[in-house]
């Protein structure tokens, strides 16, 4: 049994090994035309017949022999002895080489008179005008686009030959449940093979997802054997690490050869590369971001050896907003949010957790930290690899600071204006520091000063020479969320879940603790931090904590009791110099809209009297 990693190879060594172990080959097959969109042509496709196959009229009019019209003029009309009435698309009879529009003629008895001569082949679609028989329709290596399906049908192609790489996806794990199922404790929704199938089919492969296989070596062996018989490449999802229920490497070793077990990448280290017969077999790690990294950095480049289309992603040179540290000896891939502030690009790292799928959902780029690098420093210029079209990144609006559930709804409303909103939750103080460095478009903030005011004191302190506009989102209720309806005075001795240092909620909590003479040490769990209001409410609902402080809308969304403590002003701090930015203007107009006020009313816990008002701090 394989119980540990083999010698861990670098990403470059694994990519080179794949080339040497599996020489490039092109596998082909014919597919029905209706399923050909997105597939890659394996050879040139030629028209089976001419279009049109015979001369056709391009107008409603009369077919004539152009030589009979030479003498026609305004002064000397010509009555044609030989003309035939035709409509658009009709065959032009032999002996005629021009069509005159019906509105340029008039009838004299059963004949037609004209006042202008006709040029040879005017208003005629000659045979083969669109395409002649045996002409090439598409070259080899071409991704068939959806609108080209109609053209292929027109030219007689019903079974185009395409590159046909069959990939079998085997999901393993006794804990797996299908999508659409709410997992019980200890269960996991199987998502990795769905993601893999979508990514690989986008490149032109044909994927088959097999039924879930429980953590039983004999069952896994049977499933992998079947997949290897029916496909050109096999991918086994999960079971690639070194746990007591990780059997993938053992099964591959029994059926063939394990070439690699452990790749010096993060996330994705437990990945496996093997061979069964002459077919490559890959073991994907179970964590979603690990699986994503292996698919993107290893599987997709490998598919190019089969002739599939794997375009190189675009990179943008951007300024890093916070440090990325790592150890030498591995390539690390960090999900990021990328946007343009003024004339420069900035990029902010997201969570590194391999199981945090939302890091990839919320990101629009990633950074590769090379094998021999110890990381990047804050402010350093780095290459950000886009995962969205460049235009989408250019339109992105960056928010950094305090979290509130209404930001999700603002994101949705701005998406309808084609402005992607990317939010990074670092607390109010973290947002103001990002705004100070001009690394975001707006910083959500709700910082309570000792004099009872909100935000202005801190802006004057941290951005003393910068003109800042404060856009009011709403005044909102902050309070204690619990399962029992606890009040602030009930907190001592209760398990607590806190917000991160520098957040407005943490500052409010400390203010109230001091005001009521309660020591923070009286709150077990005071040091445990959550980055969102929803995370606080969820910890309470799950029983991990007895109480926490959050906004009313978060407690209400999870059906938990809420006892108000304070009403605070939640605002977006914006550099005045960026007010003319179209993205910022779209955000301001959205918040000032009736629709946004309606959202606040539905969520509850917000007072919208000041919503949309702007005050300037200078």
């Amino acid at each position: 049994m394989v119980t540990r990693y083999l010698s861990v190879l670098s990403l470059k060594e694994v990519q080179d090994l794949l080339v040497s172990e599996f020489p490039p080959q092109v596998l082909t097959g014919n597919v029905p035309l209706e399923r050909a969109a997105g597939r890659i042509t394996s050879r040139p496709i030629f028209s089976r017949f001419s279009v049109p196959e015979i001369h056709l009229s391009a107008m409603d009019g009369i077919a004539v022999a152009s030589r009979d019209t030479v003498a026609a003029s305004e002064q000397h009309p010509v009555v044609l002895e030989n003309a035939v009435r035709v409509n658009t698309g009709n065959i032009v009879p032999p002996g005629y080489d021009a069509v005159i529009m019906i509105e340029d003629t008039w009838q004299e008895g059963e004949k037609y008179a004209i006042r202008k001569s006709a040029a040879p082949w005017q208003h005629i679609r000659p045979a083969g005008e669109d395409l002649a028989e045996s002409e090439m329709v598409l070259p080899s290596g071409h991704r068939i686009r959806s609108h080209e399906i109609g053209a292929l049908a027109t030219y007689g192609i019903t079974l185009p030959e395409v590159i046909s790489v069959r990939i079998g996806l085997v999901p393993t794990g006794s804990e797996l449940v299908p999508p659409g199922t709410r997992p019980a404790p200890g269960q996991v929704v199987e998502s990795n093979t769905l993601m893999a199938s979508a990514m690989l089919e986008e490149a032109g492969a044909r994927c088959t997802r097999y039924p879930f296989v429980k953590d039983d070596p004999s069952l896994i062996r049977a499933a992998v054997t079947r997949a290897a018989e029916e496909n050109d490449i096999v991918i086994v999802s999960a079971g690639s690490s070194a746990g007591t229920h990780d059997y993938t490497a053992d099964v591959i070793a029994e059926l063939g050869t394990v070439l690699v077990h452990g790749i010096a990448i993060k996330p994705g280290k437990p990945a496996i590369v093997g061979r069964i017969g002459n077919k490559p077999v890959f073991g994907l790690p179970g964590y979603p971001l690990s699986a994503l990294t292996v698919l993107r950095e290893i599987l997709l480049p490998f598919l190019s050896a089969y002739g599939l289309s794997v375009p190189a992603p675009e990179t943008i040179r951007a300024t890093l907003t916070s440090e990325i540290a790592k150890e030498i000896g591995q390539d690390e891939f960090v999900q990021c949010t990328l946007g343009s502030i003024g004339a420069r690009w900035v990029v902010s790292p997201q969570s590194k957790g391999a199981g945090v799928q939302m890091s990839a959902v919320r990101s629009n780029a990633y950074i590769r930290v090379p094998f021999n690098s110890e990381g990047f420093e804050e402010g350093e210029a780095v290459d950000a690899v886009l995962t969205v079209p460049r235009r989408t990144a250019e339109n992105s609006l960056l928010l950094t600071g305090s979290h509130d559930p209404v930001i999700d709804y603002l994101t949705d409303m701005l998406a309808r204006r084609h402005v992607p909103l990317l939010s990074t939750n670092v607390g109010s103080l973290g947002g103001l520091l990002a705004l100070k460095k001009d690394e975001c478009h707006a910083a959500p903030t709700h910082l309570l000063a000792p004099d009872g005011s909100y935000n202005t004191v801190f802006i004057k302190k941290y951005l003393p020479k910068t003109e800042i506009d404060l856009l009011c989102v709403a005044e909102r209720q902050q309070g204690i969320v619990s399962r029992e309806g606890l009040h602030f005075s009930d907190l001592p001795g209760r398990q607590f879940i806190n917000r991160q240092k520098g957040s407005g909620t943490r500052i409010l909590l400390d203010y109230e603790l001091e005001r009521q003479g309660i020591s923070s040490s009286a709150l077990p769990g005071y040091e445990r931090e959550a980055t969102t209001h929803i995370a606080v409410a969820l910890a309470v609902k799950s029983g991990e904590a007895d109480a926490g402080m959050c906004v009313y809308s978060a407690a209400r969304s999870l059906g938990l009791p809420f006892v108000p403590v304070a009403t605070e002003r939640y605002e977006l701090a914006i550099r005045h110099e960026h007010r003319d930015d179209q993205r910022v203007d779209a955000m301001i107009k959205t918040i000032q809209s009736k629709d946004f006020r309606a959202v606040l009313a539905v969520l509850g816990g917000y007072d919208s009297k000041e919503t949309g008002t702007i005050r300037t701090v200078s």
Side-chain angles (χ1 to χ4, degrees):
M1 177 179 288
V2 177
T3 58
R4 59 182 174 80
Y5 296 132
L6 301 178
S7 179
V8 175
L9 300 184
S10 71
L11 178 59
K12 178 65 165 55
E13 288 173 326
V14 171
Q15 291 170 336
D16 290 344
L17 179 144
L18 285 169
V19 172
S20 62
E21 292 287 338
F22 304 102
Q25 58 179 316
V26 176
L27 308 173
T28 67
N30 296 91
V31 296
L33 187 57
E34 59 269 24
R35 297 208 301 268
R39 305 297 294 272
I40 310 299
T41 58
S42 58
R43 63 176 61 191
I45 297 176
F46 298 93
S47 178
R48 293 181 55 211
F49 41 71
S50 299
V51 177
E53 287 205 276
I54 196 168
H55 304 328
L56 302 178
S57 175
M59 295 288 178
D60 295 338
I62 58 173
V64 301
S66 59
R67 63 179 179 274
D68 296 339
T69 71
V70 173
S73 67
E74 289 291 335
Q75 293 77 24
H76 302 287
V78 170
V79 177
L80 297 172
E81 299 292 332
N82 181 24
V84 177
R85 184 73 166 85
V86 291
N87 291 322
T88 303
N90 286 169
I91 295 172
V92 176
Y96 300 93
D97 67 349
V99 170
I100 299 173
M101 292 188 295
I102 195 65
E103 52 265 39
D104 291 336
T105 71
W106 69 95
Q107 283 188 274
E108 291 196 359
E110 295 184 358
K111 298 180 180 180
Y112 293 92
I114 59 172
R115 295 180 181 273
K116 184 180 179 181
S117 62
W121 303 108
Q122 79 172 23
H123 303 320
I124 288 181
R125 293 191 62 205
E129 176 194 50
D130 187 356
L131 198 71
E133 181 180 344
S134 80
E135 277 194 280
M136 189 172 72
V137 182
L138 296 175
S140 59
H142 176 86
R143 181 188 294 278
I144 300 174
R145 297 172 290 178
S146 55
H147 69 271
E148 292 168 339
I149 297 297
L152 290 170
T154 298
Y155 307 135
I157 313 301
T158 57
L159 289 170
E161 184 179 297
V162 298
I163 295 173
S164 182
V165 181
R166 300 167 302 164
I167 301 179
L169 299 162
V170 181
T172 70
S174 299
E175 74 281 9
L176 298 181
V177 294
T181 303
R182 185 166 189 162
Q187 293 182 327
V188 177
V189 174
E190 203 291 308
S191 62
N192 282 352
T193 62
L194 273 175
M195 171 179 64
S197 180
M199 291 179 68
L200 301 173
E201 288 193 349
E202 190 174 22
R206 182 158 58 95
C207 295
T208 299
R209 295 175 61 236
Y210 289 91
F212 300 166
V213 184
K214 292 186 179 299
D215 289 321
D216 181 318
S218 62
L219 296 178
I220 296 172
R221 187 182 306 109
V224 172
T225 299
R226 177 187 173 188
E229 291 172 349
E230 297 176 352
N231 297 276
D232 306 304
I233 297 173
V234 176
I235 297 175
V236 184
S237 177
S240 66
S241 194
T244 56
H245 296 288
D246 293 321
Y247 300 115
T248 300
D250 294 328
V251 168
I252 294 173
E254 290 175 20
L255 298 176
T257 305
V258 174
L259 301 171
V260 179
H261 188 192
I263 303 173
I265 57 176
K266 184 180 179 182
K269 179 181 177 181
I272 297 169
V273 179
R275 180 199 295 111
I276 297 177
N278 62 346
K279 296 177 180 179
V281 182
F282 297 88
L284 282 188
Y287 280 128
L289 291 191
S290 295
L292 170 62
T293 302
V294 173
L295 288 165
R296 188 187 62 221
E297 303 300 326
I298 297 174
L299 265 295
L300 286 179
F302 178 62
L303 288 182
S304 63
Y306 289 80
L308 294 180
S309 175
V310 184
E314 184 176 0
T315 61
I316 288 180
R317 197 74 171 163
T319 301
L320 188 63
T321 64
S322 60
E323 177 190 38
I324 299 176
K326 83 165 187 60
E327 297 179 358
I328 289 177
Q330 63 184 2
D331 287 282
E332 185 165 349
F333 298 87
V334 182
Q335 301 293 326
C336 302
T337 54
L338 174 75
S340 60
I341 309 288
R344 68 193 183 108
W345 288 91
V346 297
V347 61
S348 300
Q350 297 295 297
S351 169
K352 291 185 179 182
V356 185
Q357 285 180 282
M358 285 305 296
S359 292
V361 174
R362 293 187 176 115
S363 69
N364 60 357
Y366 65 91
I367 294 171
R368 176 179 179 175
V369 189
F371 187 88
N372 291 320
S373 169
E374 291 184 301
F376 300 123
E377 296 181 358
E378 177 185 333
E380 189 171 347
V382 297
D383 287 327
V385 185
L386 286 174
T387 57
V388 298
R390 183 186 180 99
R391 183 62 178 167
T392 300
E394 290 173 339
N395 289 341
S396 295
L397 181 75
L398 303 182
L399 257 62
T400 303
S402 171
H403 167 262
D404 186 278
V406 79
I407 295 299
D408 291 340
Y409 294 86
L410 177 62
T411 300
D412 178 65
M413 297 174 79
L414 282 173
R416 301 174 206 167
R417 293 174 177 255
H418 307 291
V419 178
L421 190 155
L422 304 175
S423 180
T424 303
N425 305 322
V426 297
S428 295
L429 278 178
L432 292 187
L433 293 176
L435 197 68
K436 181 177 182 178
K437 294 182 287 184
D438 202 15
E439 293 176 346
C440 63
H441 295 103
T445 181
H446 58 107
L447 291 168
L448 174 64
D451 63 3
S453 67
Y454 274 91
N455 300 326
T456 55
V457 170
F458 291 87
I459 287 173
K460 289 177 180 179
K461 177 181 178 180
Y462 290 102
L463 294 98
K465 298 180 181 179
T466 308
E467 187 173 8
I468 299 295
D469 292 329
L470 284 170
L471 171 66
C472 183
V473 176
E475 292 187 340
R476 65 183 189 178
Q477 289 184 2
Q478 283 258 38
I480 302 303
V481 60
S482 67
R483 297 182 302 281
E484 307 169 44
L486 300 177
H487 289 69
F488 202 93
S489 57
D490 299 323
L491 294 182
R494 300 282 190 159
Q495 191 67 34
F496 196 75
I497 175 73
N498 210 344
R499 291 293 306 281
Q500 75 267 43
K501 294 181 180 68
S503 68
T505 302
R506 177 75 164 257
I507 292 172
L508 174 62
L509 173 70
D510 292 344
Y511 173 86
E512 289 294 329
L513 288 173
E514 183 177 358
R515 190 176 69 83
Q516 298 192 30
I518 301 173
S519 170
S520 61
S521 62
L523 275 62
Y526 174 88
E527 299 300 329
R528 184 186 172 191
E529 300 180 350
T531 59
T532 68
H533 293 278
I534 290 292
V536 169
L538 186 60
V540 171
K541 183 174 183 178
S542 68
E544 294 177 25
D546 296 321
M549 179 171 276
C550 69
V551 295
Y552 171 74
S553 59
R556 180 184 178 185
S557 68
L558 295 184
L560 293 169
F562 177 87
V563 177
V565 170
T567 299
E568 60 182 12
R569 193 178 181 94
Y570 184 68
E571 297 177 295
L572 298 180
I574 305 165
R575 282 176 170 263
H576 185 76
E577 65 203 70
H578 295 319
R579 280 282 299 276
D580 292 334
D581 189 301
Q582 292 182 350
R583 297 163 292 181
V584 173
D585 183 61
M587 178 182 67
I588 292 172
K589 288 178 178 175
T590 299
I591 290 174
Q592 292 174 338
S593 69
K594 292 181 180 179
D595 289 343
F596 187 77
R597 289 174 182 266
V599 167
L600 293 173
V602 170
L603 290 175
Y606 299 97
D607 185 335
S608 61
K609 290 194 303 290
E610 295 294 314
T611 295
T613 61
I614 299 174
R615 54 186 180 143
T616 300
V617 182
S618 57

